[in-house]
Amino acid sequence: MSGVFRLLVFCMMALSLALATSVGDGRWQSKVPESDRVRQNPMAAEAGSIAAGAKLFRQHCASCHGSDARGRNRRPDLHSDRVRDATPGQLEWLLRNGSLKNGMPSWSRLPEPQRWQLVTFLKSIP
Amino acid sequence: MMAFLSKFCLSVALLLLMIAFASPAAAQESYFVTYSHQMEEPGNLEIATKSVAASPKSADSFLGNALEFEYGVKAWWTTEFYLDGQSTADQSSIFTGFRWENRIRPLLQEHWINPVLYVEFEDVSADKSLLEVVGHDGVSDFSGRNDRGEKKREAELRLILSSNLKGWNFSENAIAEKNLAGDPWEFGYALGVSRPLSLKALAVSCVLCRENFTGGAELYGGLGELHSFGLRDTSHYLAPVLQWQLPGGPAMKISPGFGLNDNSHRFLFRFGISYEIEQIASRLRGR
């Protein structure tokens, strides 16, 4: 039975690693479905949304992207054309899915309104 | 009991000391037994204690404790190391062993249901941390004297399925555990549902606002062994969970658990505290 167990563990690890290395190439924008890309930000016009997004950014994002969102330790600078040009729907999709292979975690555990508050803040970055 | 409490207090003091030198990051995992597909952020180290206290009718009261170190190796791979101990009234306080577990997300995008593969090795004896309930585990297992001679080297596999929907998390764990000495496979389950009390964040930082609280419940228990699969002679628990995330600080959670049949402890009280140290490798390198 221990042989069966070892084989099972090996297969699980091999499958996981194979999948992990075969999915995701960092070009996340091309993966966003059209239905997500065109989504509007329901929190965009809400008072205090930028401030709430800034608070969430400090709590969850600043450790990698820096408190000034300029990036840290080779993590992306968010004062970039890529963020400026992205639609709110694309940014929400990235927050929800992450880019796991490239080190960006999924923030699906944050409720959707909080993800939109973060998007509101990100779109306010000059 | 006093000796164990002293060690526990020392552990908490060390934890608080580390916190004093760390900067804040949000902790996670609302449950005690169930796992969701939430992984540790890469480079972050979470230090947590998970304790359980019970006073079985036919056995001595006990306090089981697990000290957990959880590290995000990759965004899709989390590894955890546990040190376990327990104290039983009128008996002894002992270190019971260690566990090492790994969780891997095979699908790198969010789906309506997200699988995670979990593999754990544990080397424990007289363990009372109750981090999982499998096979025919029950209250009678706690009636003997603390015996560190009975070593259990076990492997545990879980298939974790988890979904986030409209602020709710629904998690289902199928558990299979094998004593490497040759006992048959044992099976168990854990189900969890949780939701933050508020889905929107306030613009200002606050301590007691609803967004910092997550409420939920867990249902977990054993499903027998390979040759006696089913609910007969198994134990089951229903446990509400409440987590409080202090902004820029630790997360605390409590869970009163209620046994659902005669084979279960009538009442379990779980409590835990966790703190996440962000980007620990960069900190150690001084960057």
Side-chain angles (χ1 to χ4, degrees), chain B residues 118-197:
Chain B
Y118 168 111
V119 181
E120 182 204 81
F121 172 76
E122 61 186 61
D123 187 335
V124 295
S125 56
D127 177 49
K128 292 184 178 176
S129 58
L130 280 166
L131 291 176
E132 73 277 326
V133 176
V134 293
H136 298 290
D137 288 355
V139 69
S140 59
D141 298 328
F142 292 78
S143 57
R145 303 285 298 176
N146 281 345
D147 178 13
R148 297 178 68 182
E150 191 197 352
K151 276 273 183 192
K152 287 204 308 190
R153 290 192 177 88
E154 294 179 326
E156 180 186 323
L157 307 176
R158 287 191 194 214
L159 174 62
I160 298 165
L161 301 173
S162 171
S163 314
N164 288 326
L165 184 67
K166 296 189 183 300
W168 291 88
N169 173 261
F170 302 93
S171 295
E172 307 85 33
N173 296 182
I175 307 170
E177 190 173 271
K178 177 86 173 79
N179 187 325
L180 300 179
D183 291 348
W185 284 90
E186 298 177 295
F187 301 102
Y189 69 92
L191 309 170
V193 58
S194 66
R195 181 186 186 276
L197 300 193

Coordinates of all heavy atoms in Angstrom, one line a residue, chain B residues 118-197:
Chain B
Y118 N -3.6 18.8 -1.7 CA -3.0 19.0 -0.4 C -2.3 17.7 0.0 O -2.9 16.6 -0.1 CB -4.2 19.3 0.6 CG -3.9 19.3 2.1 CD1 -3.8 20.5 2.8 CD2 -3.7 18.1 2.7 CE1 -3.6 20.4 4.2 CE2 -3.5 18.1 4.1 CZ -3.4 19.2 4.8 OH -3.2 19.2 6.2
V119 N -1.1 17.8 0.4 CA -0.3 16.6 0.9 C 0.3 17.0 2.2 O 1.0 18.0 2.3 CB 0.8 16.2 -0.2 CG1 1.5 15.0 0.3 CG2 0.2 15.9 -1.5
E120 N 0.1 16.1 3.2 CA 0.7 16.4 4.5 C 1.4 15.1 5.0 O 0.9 14.0 4.9 CB -0.4 16.8 5.5 CG 0.1 17.2 6.8 CD -0.9 17.0 7.9 OE1 -1.2 15.9 8.4 OE2 -1.5 18.1 8.3
F121 N 2.5 15.3 5.7 CA 3.2 14.3 6.5 C 3.2 14.7 7.9 O 3.5 15.9 8.2 CB 4.6 14.0 6.0 CG 5.4 13.1 6.9 CD1 5.1 11.7 6.8 CD2 6.3 13.6 7.8 CE1 5.8 10.8 7.7 CE2 7.0 12.7 8.6 CZ 6.7 11.3 8.6
E122 N 2.8 13.8 8.8 CA 2.8 14.1 10.2 C 3.5 13.0 11.0 O 3.3 11.9 10.7 CB 1.4 14.4 10.7 CG 0.4 13.3 10.6 CD -1.0 13.8 11.0 OE1 -1.6 14.7 10.4 OE2 -1.5 13.2 12.0
D123 N 4.2 13.5 12.0 CA 4.9 12.5 12.9 C 4.5 13.0 14.3 O 5.1 13.9 14.9 CB 6.4 12.6 12.7 CG 7.1 11.6 13.5 OD1 6.6 11.1 14.5 OD2 8.3 11.2 13.1
V124 N 3.4 12.3 14.9 CA 2.9 12.8 16.1 C 2.6 11.6 17.1 O 2.5 10.5 16.6 CB 1.5 13.6 15.9 CG1 1.8 14.9 15.1 CG2 0.5 12.7 15.2
S125 N 2.5 11.9 18.3 CA 2.1 10.9 19.3 C 1.2 11.7 20.3 O 1.5 12.8 20.7 CB 3.3 10.3 20.0 OG 4.1 11.3 20.5
A126 N 0.2 11.0 20.8 CA -0.7 11.6 21.8 C -1.3 12.9 21.4 O -1.4 13.8 22.2 CB 0.0 11.7 23.2
D127 N -1.5 13.1 20.1 CA -1.9 14.4 19.5 C -3.4 14.7 19.9 O -4.2 13.8 19.8 CB -1.8 14.3 18.0 CG -2.2 15.6 17.4 OD1 -1.8 16.7 17.9 OD2 -3.0 15.6 16.4
K128 N -3.6 15.9 20.3 CA -5.0 16.3 20.7 C -5.3 17.7 20.0 O -6.1 18.4 20.6 CB -5.1 16.4 22.2 CG -5.1 15.1 22.9 CD -5.3 15.1 24.4 CE -5.3 13.7 25.0 NZ -5.5 13.7 26.4
S129 N -4.7 18.0 18.9 CA -4.9 19.3 18.3 C -6.2 19.2 17.4 O -6.7 20.3 17.1 CB -3.7 19.7 17.4 OG -3.5 18.7 16.4
L130 N -6.7 18.1 17.1 CA -7.9 17.9 16.3 C -8.0 18.8 15.1 O -9.0 19.4 14.8 CB -9.1 18.2 17.3 CG -9.5 17.1 18.2 CD1 -10.4 17.6 19.3 CD2 -10.2 16.0 17.5
L131 N -6.9 18.8 14.4 CA -6.9 19.6 13.1 C -7.6 18.9 12.0 O -7.9 19.5 11.0 CB -5.4 19.9 12.7 CG -4.7 20.9 13.6 CD1 -3.2 21.0 13.2 CD2 -5.4 22.2 13.7
E132 N -7.9 17.6 12.2 CA -8.8 16.9 11.3 C -9.4 15.8 12.0 O -8.9 15.3 13.1 CB -8.0 16.3 10.0 CG -7.1 15.1 10.3 CD -5.8 15.5 10.9 OE1 -5.2 16.5 10.5 OE2 -5.3 14.7 11.7
V133 N -10.6 15.4 11.6 CA -11.3 14.2 12.2 C -11.5 13.2 11.1 O -12.1 13.5 10.0 CB -12.6 14.6 12.8 CG1 -13.4 13.4 13.3 CG2 -12.4 15.7 13.9
V134 N -10.9 12.0 11.2 CA -11.0 11.0 10.2 C -11.4 9.6 10.8 O -11.3 9.4 12.0 CB -9.7 10.9 9.4 CG1 -9.4 12.1 8.6 CG2 -8.6 10.6 10.3
G135 N -11.7 8.7 9.9 CA -11.9 7.3 10.3 C -13.0 7.2 11.4 O -14.0 7.8 11.3
H136 N -12.6 6.5 12.5 CA -13.5 6.3 13.6 C -13.0 7.1 14.8 O -13.3 6.7 15.9 CB -13.6 4.8 13.9 CG -14.2 4.0 12.8 ND1 -15.5 4.0 12.4 CD2 -13.6 3.1 12.0 CE1 -15.7 3.2 11.4 NE2 -14.5 2.6 11.1
D137 N -12.3 8.2 14.5 CA -11.9 9.1 15.6 C -13.1 9.4 16.5 O -14.2 9.7 15.9 CB -11.3 10.4 15.0 CG -10.0 10.2 14.4 OD1 -9.4 9.1 14.5 OD2 -9.5 11.2 13.8
G138 N -12.9 9.5 17.8 CA -14.1 9.8 18.6 C -13.6 10.1 20.0 O -12.4 10.1 20.3
V139 N -14.5 10.4 20.9 CA -14.2 10.8 22.2 C -13.5 9.7 23.0 O -12.7 10.0 23.9 CB -15.5 11.3 23.0 CG1 -16.4 10.1 23.3 CG2 -15.2 12.0 24.2
S140 N -13.7 8.4 22.7 CA -13.0 7.4 23.4 C -11.5 7.4 23.2 O -10.7 6.9 24.0 CB -13.6 6.0 22.9 OG -13.4 5.9 21.6
D141 N -11.0 8.0 22.1 CA -9.6 8.1 21.8 C -8.9 9.0 22.9 O -7.6 9.0 23.0 CB -9.3 8.7 20.4 CG -9.9 7.8 19.3 OD1 -9.9 6.6 19.5 OD2 -10.3 8.4 18.3
F142 N -9.6 9.7 23.6 CA -9.1 10.7 24.6 C -9.1 10.2 26.0 O -8.8 10.9 26.9 CB -9.8 12.0 24.5 CG -9.6 12.7 23.1 CD1 -10.2 12.3 22.0 CD2 -8.7 13.8 23.0 CE1 -10.0 12.9 20.8 CE2 -8.4 14.4 21.8 CZ -9.1 14.0 20.7
S143 N -9.6 8.9 26.2 CA -9.7 8.4 27.6 C -8.5 7.8 28.2 O -8.3 7.7 29.4 CB -10.9 7.4 27.6 OG -10.6 6.4 26.7
G144 N -7.5 7.5 27.3 CA -6.3 6.9 27.8 C -5.3 7.9 28.4 O -5.5 9.1 28.3
R145 N -4.2 7.4 29.0 CA -3.2 8.3 29.6 C -2.3 8.8 28.4 O -2.3 8.2 27.3 CB -2.3 7.6 30.5 CG -3.0 7.0 31.7 CD -3.4 8.0 32.8 NE -2.3 8.7 33.4 CZ -2.5 9.7 34.3 NH1 -3.7 10.1 34.6 NH2 -1.4 10.3 34.8
N146 N -1.7 10.0 28.6 CA -0.8 10.5 27.5 C 0.3 9.5 27.3 O 1.0 9.1 28.3 CB -0.2 11.8 28.0 CG -1.1 13.0 27.8 OD1 -2.1 12.9 27.0 ND2 -0.8 14.1 28.4
D147 N 0.5 9.0 26.1 CA 1.5 8.0 25.8 C 2.3 8.4 24.6 O 1.7 8.3 23.5 CB 0.8 6.6 25.6 CG 1.8 5.5 25.2 OD1 3.0 5.8 25.4 OD2 1.4 4.5 24.8
R148 N 3.5 8.8 24.8 CA 4.3 9.3 23.7 C 4.9 8.1 22.9 O 5.6 8.3 21.9 CB 5.3 10.3 24.1 CG 4.7 11.5 24.7 CD 5.8 12.5 25.1 NE 6.5 13.1 24.0 CZ 7.5 13.9 24.2 NH1 7.9 14.3 25.4 NH2 8.2 14.4 23.1
G149 N 4.8 6.9 23.5 CA 5.4 5.8 22.9 C 4.6 5.4 21.6 O 5.2 4.7 20.7
E150 N 3.4 5.7 21.5 CA 2.6 5.3 20.4 C 2.8 6.4 19.3 O 2.0 7.3 19.1 CB 1.1 5.2 20.7 CG 0.3 4.6 19.7 CD -1.2 4.9 19.8 OE1 -1.6 5.4 20.9 OE2 -2.0 4.5 18.9
K151 N 3.8 6.2 18.5 CA 4.1 7.1 17.4 C 3.2 6.9 16.2 O 2.9 5.7 15.8 CB 5.6 6.9 16.9 CG 6.6 7.6 17.8 CD 6.8 9.0 17.3 CE 7.8 9.7 18.1 NZ 7.8 11.2 17.7
K152 N 2.8 8.0 15.6 CA 1.9 7.8 14.4 C 2.6 8.6 13.3 O 2.7 9.9 13.4 CB 0.5 8.4 14.7 CG -0.3 7.5 15.5 CD -1.8 7.6 15.3 CE -2.3 9.0 15.4 NZ -3.8 9.1 15.4
R153 N 3.1 7.9 12.3 CA 3.6 8.6 11.1 C 2.5 8.4 10.1 O 2.3 7.3 9.6 CB 4.9 8.0 10.7 CG 6.0 8.3 11.7 CD 7.4 8.0 11.1 NE 8.4 8.4 12.1 CZ 8.9 7.6 13.1 NH1 8.4 6.4 13.2 NH2 9.8 8.0 13.9
E154 N 1.9 9.6 9.7 CA 0.8 9.5 8.8 C 1.0 10.4 7.6 O 1.6 11.5 7.7 CB -0.5 9.8 9.5 CG -0.8 8.8 10.6 CD -2.1 9.2 11.4 OE1 -2.4 10.4 11.6 OE2 -2.8 8.3 11.8
A155 N 0.3 10.0 6.5 CA 0.2 10.9 5.4 C -1.2 11.3 5.2 O -2.1 10.4 5.4 CB 0.8 10.2 4.1
E156 N -1.5 12.5 4.9 CA -2.9 12.9 4.7 C -3.0 13.6 3.3 O -2.1 14.4 3.0 CB -3.2 13.9 5.8 CG -4.7 14.4 5.7 CD -5.0 15.5 6.7 OE1 -4.5 15.4 7.8 OE2 -5.7 16.5 6.4
L157 N -4.0 13.2 2.6 CA -4.3 13.9 1.3 C -5.6 14.5 1.4 O -6.6 14.0 2.0 CB -4.3 12.8 0.2 CG -3.1 11.9 0.0 CD1 -3.4 10.9 -1.1 CD2 -1.9 12.7 -0.3
R158 N -5.7 15.7 0.8 CA -7.0 16.3 0.7 C -7.3 16.8 -0.7 O -6.4 17.3 -1.4 CB -7.1 17.6 1.6 CG -7.2 17.3 3.1 CD -7.5 18.6 3.8 NE -7.2 18.4 5.3 CZ -7.9 19.0 6.2 NH1 -8.9 19.8 5.9 NH2 -7.6 18.8 7.5
L159 N -8.5 16.7 -1.1 CA -8.9 17.4 -2.3 C -9.8 18.6 -1.8 O -10.8 18.4 -1.2 CB -9.8 16.5 -3.2 CG -10.4 17.3 -4.4 CD1 -9.3 17.9 -5.3 CD2 -11.3 16.4 -5.2
I160 N -9.3 19.8 -2.0 CA -10.0 21.0 -1.5 C -10.7 21.6 -2.7 O -10.1 21.8 -3.8 CB -8.9 22.0 -1.0 CG1 -8.2 21.4 0.2 CG2 -9.6 23.3 -0.6 CD1 -6.9 22.2 0.6
L161 N -12.0 21.8 -2.5 CA -12.8 22.5 -3.6 C -13.3 23.7 -2.9 O -13.9 23.7 -1.8 CB -13.9 21.6 -4.1 CG -13.5 20.3 -4.7 CD1 -14.7 19.4 -5.0 CD2 -12.6 20.5 -5.9
S162 N -13.2 24.9 -3.6 CA -13.6 26.1 -2.9 C -14.1 27.1 -4.0 O -13.7 27.2 -5.1 CB -12.4 26.7 -2.2 OG -12.6 27.9 -1.7
S163 N -15.1 27.9 -3.5 CA -15.7 28.9 -4.4 C -16.0 30.2 -3.7 O -16.3 30.1 -2.5 CB -17.1 28.4 -4.9 OG -17.1 27.1 -5.4
N164 N -15.8 31.3 -4.4 CA -16.1 32.6 -3.8 C -17.3 33.1 -4.6 O -17.1 33.3 -5.9 CB -14.9 33.5 -3.8 CG -13.9 33.2 -2.8 OD1 -14.2 32.7 -1.7 ND2 -12.6 33.4 -3.2
L165 N -18.4 33.5 -4.0 CA -19.5 33.9 -4.7 C -20.3 35.0 -3.9 O -20.7 34.7 -2.8 CB -20.5 32.7 -5.0 CG -21.7 33.0 -5.8 CD1 -21.3 33.3 -7.2 CD2 -22.7 31.8 -5.8
K166 N -20.3 36.2 -4.5 CA -21.0 37.3 -3.9 C -20.6 37.5 -2.4 O -21.4 37.7 -1.5 CB -22.6 37.1 -4.0 CG -23.1 37.1 -5.4 CD -24.6 37.1 -5.5 CE -25.0 37.0 -6.9 NZ -24.6 38.1 -7.8
G167 N -19.3 37.4 -2.2 CA -18.8 37.7 -0.8 C -18.7 36.4 0.0 O -18.1 36.4 1.1
W168 N -19.4 35.4 -0.4 CA -19.4 34.1 0.4 C -18.3 33.2 0.0 O -18.0 33.2 -1.2 CB -20.8 33.4 0.2 CG -21.9 34.0 0.8 CD1 -22.7 35.0 0.2 CD2 -22.5 33.8 2.1 NE1 -23.7 35.3 1.1 CE2 -23.6 34.6 2.3 CE3 -22.1 33.0 3.2 CZ2 -24.4 34.7 3.4 CZ3 -22.9 33.0 4.3 CH2 -24.0 33.9 4.5
N169 N -17.7 32.5 0.9 CA -16.8 31.4 0.5 C -17.5 30.1 0.9 O -18.0 29.9 2.0 CB -15.5 31.5 1.2 CG -14.6 30.3 1.0 OD1 -14.5 29.4 1.8 ND2 -14.0 30.3 -0.2
F170 N -17.4 29.2 -0.1 CA -17.9 27.8 0.2 C -16.8 26.9 -0.1 O -16.2 26.9 -1.1 CB -19.1 27.5 -0.8 CG -20.2 28.4 -0.7 CD1 -20.3 29.5 -1.5 CD2 -21.3 28.2 0.2 CE1 -21.4 30.4 -1.5 CE2 -22.3 29.0 0.3 CZ -22.4 30.1 -0.5
S171 N -16.4 26.1 1.0 CA -15.3 25.2 0.8 C -15.6 23.8 1.2 O -16.4 23.6 2.2 CB -14.1 25.7 1.7 OG -13.6 26.9 1.3
E172 N -15.2 22.8 0.4 CA -15.4 21.4 0.7 C -14.1 20.7 0.7 O -13.3 20.8 -0.3 CB -16.4 20.8 -0.4 CG -17.7 21.6 -0.6 CD -17.5 22.7 -1.6 OE1 -16.7 22.6 -2.5 OE2 -18.2 23.7 -1.4
N173 N -13.8 19.9 1.7 CA -12.6 19.1 1.7 C -12.9 17.6 1.9 O -13.6 17.3 2.8 CB -11.7 19.5 2.9 CG -11.2 20.9 3.0 OD1 -10.5 21.3 3.9 ND2 -11.6 21.7 2.0
A174 N -12.3 16.8 1.0 CA -12.4 15.4 1.1 C -11.0 14.9 1.6 O -10.0 15.3 1.0 CB -12.7 14.7 -0.2
I175 N -11.0 14.2 2.7 CA -9.8 13.9 3.4 C -9.5 12.4 3.4 O -10.5 11.6 3.6 CB -9.8 14.3 4.9 CG1 -10.2 15.8 5.0 CG2 -8.5 14.1 5.6 CD1 -10.5 16.3 6.4
A176 N -8.3 12.0 3.1 CA -7.9 10.6 3.2 C -6.6 10.5 3.9 O -5.6 11.3 3.6 CB -7.7 10.0 1.8
E177 N -6.5 9.7 5.0 CA -5.3 9.7 5.8 C -4.8 8.2 5.9 O -5.6 7.3 6.1 CB -5.6 10.2 7.2 CG -4.4 10.5 8.1 CD -4.8 11.2 9.4 OE1 -4.8 12.4 9.4 OE2 -5.1 10.5 10.4
K178 N -3.5 8.1 5.9 CA -2.9 6.7 5.9 C -1.8 6.7 7.0 O -0.9 7.5 6.9 CB -2.3 6.4 4.5 CG -1.6 5.1 4.4 CD -2.6 4.0 4.1 CE -1.9 2.7 3.8 NZ -1.5 2.0 5.0
N179 N -2.0 5.7 7.9 CA -0.9 5.5 8.8 C 0.2 4.7 8.1 O -0.1 3.6 7.5 CB -1.4 4.7 10.0 CG -0.3 4.6 11.1 OD1 0.9 4.5 10.8 ND2 -0.8 4.6 12.4
L180 N 1.4 5.2 8.0 CA 2.4 4.6 7.1 C 2.9 3.3 7.7 O 3.7 2.5 7.1 CB 3.6 5.6 6.9 CG 3.2 6.9 6.2 CD1 4.4 7.8 6.1 CD2 2.5 6.6 4.9
A181 N 2.5 3.0 9.0 CA 2.8 1.7 9.6 C 2.0 0.5 9.0 O 2.2 -0.6 9.2 CB 2.7 1.7 11.1
G182 N 1.0 0.9 8.2 CA 0.2 -0.2 7.5 C -1.3 -0.2 7.8 O -2.0 -1.0 7.2
D183 N -1.8 0.6 8.7 CA -3.2 0.6 8.9 C -4.0 1.1 7.6 O -3.4 1.7 6.8 CB -3.6 1.6 10.0 CG -3.0 1.1 11.4 OD1 -2.7 0.0 11.5 OD2 -3.0 1.9 12.4
P184 N -5.3 0.7 7.6 CA -6.0 1.1 6.3 C -6.2 2.6 6.2 O -6.1 3.3 7.2 CB -7.3 0.3 6.5 CG -7.5 0.1 8.0 CD -6.1 -0.1 8.5
W185 N -6.5 3.0 5.0 CA -6.9 4.4 4.8 C -8.1 4.8 5.6 O -9.0 4.0 5.8 CB -7.2 4.6 3.3 CG -6.1 4.6 2.4 CD1 -5.5 3.6 1.7 CD2 -5.3 5.8 2.0 NE1 -4.4 4.0 1.0 CE2 -4.3 5.3 1.1 CE3 -5.3 7.1 2.3 CZ2 -3.4 6.2 0.5 CZ3 -4.4 8.0 1.7 CH2 -3.4 7.5 0.8
E186 N -8.0 6.0 6.2 CA -9.2 6.6 6.9 C -9.7 7.8 6.1 O -8.9 8.5 5.5 CB -8.7 7.0 8.3 CG -8.2 5.9 9.2 CD -7.8 6.4 10.5 OE1 -6.8 7.1 10.5 OE2 -8.4 6.0 11.5
F187 N -11.0 8.0 6.2 CA -11.5 9.1 5.5 C -12.3 10.1 6.3 O -12.8 9.7 7.4 CB -12.5 8.5 4.4 CG -11.8 7.6 3.5 CD1 -12.0 6.2 3.6 CD2 -11.0 8.1 2.5 CE1 -11.3 5.3 2.8 CE2 -10.3 7.2 1.6 CZ -10.5 5.8 1.8
G188 N -12.4 11.3 5.9 CA -13.1 12.3 6.6 C -13.5 13.4 5.6 O -13.2 13.4 4.4
Y189 N -14.2 14.4 6.2 CA -14.7 15.5 5.4 C -14.7 16.8 6.2 O -14.7 16.7 7.5 CB -16.1 15.3 4.9 CG -17.1 15.3 6.0 CD1 -17.8 16.5 6.3 CD2 -17.4 14.2 6.8 CE1 -18.7 16.5 7.4 CE2 -18.3 14.2 7.8 CZ -19.0 15.4 8.1 OH -19.8 15.5 9.2
A190 N -14.7 17.9 5.6 CA -14.8 19.2 6.2 C -15.5 20.1 5.3 O -15.1 20.2 4.1 CB -13.4 19.7 6.7
L191 N -16.5 20.8 5.7 CA -17.2 21.8 4.9 C -17.2 23.1 5.6 O -17.3 23.2 6.8 CB -18.7 21.3 4.7 CG -18.9 19.9 4.2 CD1 -20.4 19.5 4.2 CD2 -18.4 19.8 2.8
G192 N -17.1 24.2 4.9 CA -17.1 25.5 5.5 C -17.8 26.5 4.7 O -17.8 26.5 3.4
V193 N -18.4 27.5 5.3 CA -19.0 28.6 4.6 C -18.8 29.9 5.5 O -18.8 29.8 6.7 CB -20.6 28.4 4.4 CG1 -21.3 28.1 5.7 CG2 -21.2 29.5 3.7
S194 N -18.4 31.0 4.8 CA -18.1 32.2 5.6 C -18.3 33.4 4.7 O -18.4 33.3 3.5 CB -16.6 32.2 6.0 OG -15.7 32.2 4.9
R195 N -18.5 34.5 5.4 CA -18.7 35.8 4.7 C -18.3 36.9 5.5 O -18.6 36.9 6.7 CB -20.2 35.9 4.3 CG -20.6 37.2 3.6 CD -22.1 37.2 3.4 NE -22.6 38.3 2.6 CZ -22.7 39.6 3.0 NH1 -22.4 39.9 4.3 NH2 -23.2 40.5 2.2
P196 N -17.6 38.0 5.0 CA -17.3 39.2 5.8 C -18.7 39.8 6.1 O -19.6 39.7 5.4 CB -16.6 40.1 4.8 CG -16.2 39.2 3.7 CD -17.1 38.1 3.6
L197 N -18.7 40.5 7.3 CA -20.0 41.1 7.7 C -20.3 42.3 6.8 O -21.5 42.8 6.8 CB -19.9 41.5 9.2 CG -19.7 40.3 10.1 CD1 -20.0 40.8 11.6 CD2 -20.5 39.1 9.8

